[in-house]
Amino acid sequence: MADPQLLSDARALVGRQYGRVYAWDEVNAPMVRQWCEIMGVDNPVYTDPAFALGTRHEGLIAPPAMLQVWTMEGLHANNYPPGSTDENPYEVLKIMEAHGYMSTVAVNSELTFSRPVRMGEKLYYTTRLDSVSDEKTTALGTGFFVTLVMSHFAEKAGGDEPVGELLFRVFKFRPANANAQAPARLDAAPARPKRPLPGISDDTRFFWEGCEKGQLLIQRCAACQTLRHPPAPVCIECHSFDWDTLQASGRATLYSFVVMHYPEVPPFDYPNPIGLIELEEGVRLIAGLVGIERENLQIGQRLQVEFQTFDDQQTLPLFRPVDA
């Protein structure tokens, strides 16, 4: 049963409105064009001024799905434009962590749009803690669903106009496989949580068993020899259900990467570099990067797999840069 003080402290924040976070730049055609190229969007209302002028929009608009892009901080964490709030809209999660709910998983994210965003508009958003659920027990563990709403606006001389909302929901929980322990002393540091275990099915069991043996196994169609990852029950090429595995060499290149900064989810270390890895055999997988600082990461650099065991229960393939 949830601590009454936890519920009181958390729900006291429900409805709290956090200050503005501004966009670095006005809505502009170069960013829209680059986004459309990357995402494979070819609607001329976003990129062709002459075509857009003849539509009901009477000019270029930005793709609705770009709404969140305009107010992102950029490469460096929490690097927002002058005038943006320094309040932490995730403070309710810190309260839960203090009571032993250390793990976080994103549940869903929903974008809604009030009107199109036009070239030259300057955007900002505010955050509201929308709700904290009753304590729930799921397959992951016991915890709370926390919902925040980021309301986006365009600045206008006659009054700012709403342009859309982002609903973001997370589940803050104690893992179901955590060992039961005696209540911690109030002055004791919270125990470091274990890494959440992956969901394992008949389609993926071979991969994790291979990791335990120090083998990077890739699923292969027995009929046409097509490699596939993530594992799946049927071949994406010939639709055969028959498959075996190939042990990959572990040699790879860095196809792309992100560096996670916030929210900090125990027990992971931050900044946390995650790579999209292209194996020598031609398939890609997502894995952690080790042995290199963020500023030294380069697309295309050579990598080699290494296996590390965490919490004496989970072995993961990680990738370390190797000399050219």
Side-chain angles (χ1 to χ4, degrees), residues 174-198:
R174 290 191 181 114
N177 61 353
N179 294 328
Q181 297 180 353
R185 290 166 40 206
L186 293 179
D187 60 347
R192 184 175 176 86
K194 294 182 178 181
R195 289 190 177 218
L197 295 174

Side-chain angles (χ1 to χ4, degrees), residues 68 105-111 131 145-150 166-171:
Q68 190 181 8
V105 62
V107 178
N108 64 301
S109 179
E110 301 171 8
L111 273 172
S131 65
F145 290 94
V146 177
T147 304
L148 299 106
V149 175
M150 290 77 164
L166 169 65
L167 180 148
F168 184 59
R169 182 174 292 121
V170 299
F171 184 51

Side-chain angles (χ1 to χ4, degrees), residues 49-309:
F51 176 88
L53 191 62
T55 68
R56 63 185 178 89
H57 303 295
E58 299 180 341
L60 291 173
I61 61 172
M66 277 190 76
L67 181 61
Q68 190 181 8
V69 173
W70 301 109
T71 50
M72 287 182 171
E73 68 265 49
L75 180 62
H76 302 290
N78 300 317
N79 181 32
Y80 293 107
S84 298
T85 183
D86 58 1
E87 297 174 304
N88 178 11
Y90 299 98
E91 62 177 322
V92 68
L93 303 186
K94 296 296 184 183
I95 292 174
M96 293 176 179
E97 288 172 6
H99 287 263
Y101 298 85
M102 302 296 291
S103 297
T104 309
V105 62
V107 178
N108 64 301
S109 179
E110 301 171 8
L111 273 172
T112 58
F113 312 104
S114 304
R115 68 158 175 83
V117 175
R118 304 178 183 280
M119 300 300 123
E121 291 187 318
K122 192 67 177 289
L123 305 185
Y124 68 87
Y125 72 85
T126 61
T127 302
R128 182 183 78 256
L129 177 58
D130 188 69
S131 65
V132 175
S133 74
D134 294 330
E135 190 177 52
K136 306 288 185 180
T137 299
T138 73
L140 287 174
T142 300
F144 306 88
F145 290 94
V146 177
T147 304
L148 299 106
V149 175
M150 290 77 164
S151 299
H152 289 67
F153 299 87
E155 291 186 303
K156 297 292 180 181
D160 297 345
E161 298 178 2
V163 294
E165 285 189 343
L166 169 65
L167 180 148
F168 184 59
R169 182 174 292 121
V170 299
F171 184 51
K172 194 69 174 170
F173 64 100
R174 290 191 181 114
N177 61 353
N179 294 328
Q181 297 180 353
R185 290 166 40 206
L186 293 179
D187 60 347
R192 184 175 176 86
K194 294 182 178 181
R195 289 190 177 218
L197 295 174
I200 298 178
S201 68
D202 290 341
D203 295 321
T204 63
R205 184 170 289 105
F206 78 90
F207 180 82
W208 301 111
E209 290 177 348
C211 289
E212 291 178 359
K213 300 175 182 177
Q215 300 175 344
L216 185 60
L217 300 180
I218 304 300
Q219 195 176 43
R220 177 175 59 186
C221 175
C224 70
Q225 304 300 297
T226 297
L227 299 176
R228 60 182 185 262
H229 190 88
V234 63
C235 178
I236 58 177
E237 294 294 335
C238 71
H239 302 157
S240 171
F241 285 89
D242 298 324
W243 59 270
D244 56 15
T245 61
L246 170 73
Q247 182 175 344
S249 67
R251 294 185 291 271
T253 56
L254 184 59
Y255 186 84
S256 185
F257 67 90
V258 297
V259 180
M260 296 295 297
H261 293 274
Y262 195 84
E264 294 186 358
V265 181
F268 301 98
D269 296 322
Y270 290 85
N272 184 13
I274 306 296
L276 178 57
I277 313 298
E278 185 162 75
L279 297 177
E280 186 178 63
E281 290 74 16
V283 295
R284 297 172 189 159
L285 74 161
I286 295 173
L289 298 167
V290 295
I292 190 169
E293 298 297 328
R294 155 66 187 91
E295 57 270 17
N296 295 326
L297 288 170
Q298 295 182 9
I299 301 299
Q301 66 188 138
R302 294 174 56 193
L303 307 170
Q304 178 66 46
V305 73
E306 66 177 51
F307 294 91
Q308 293 187 16
T309 300

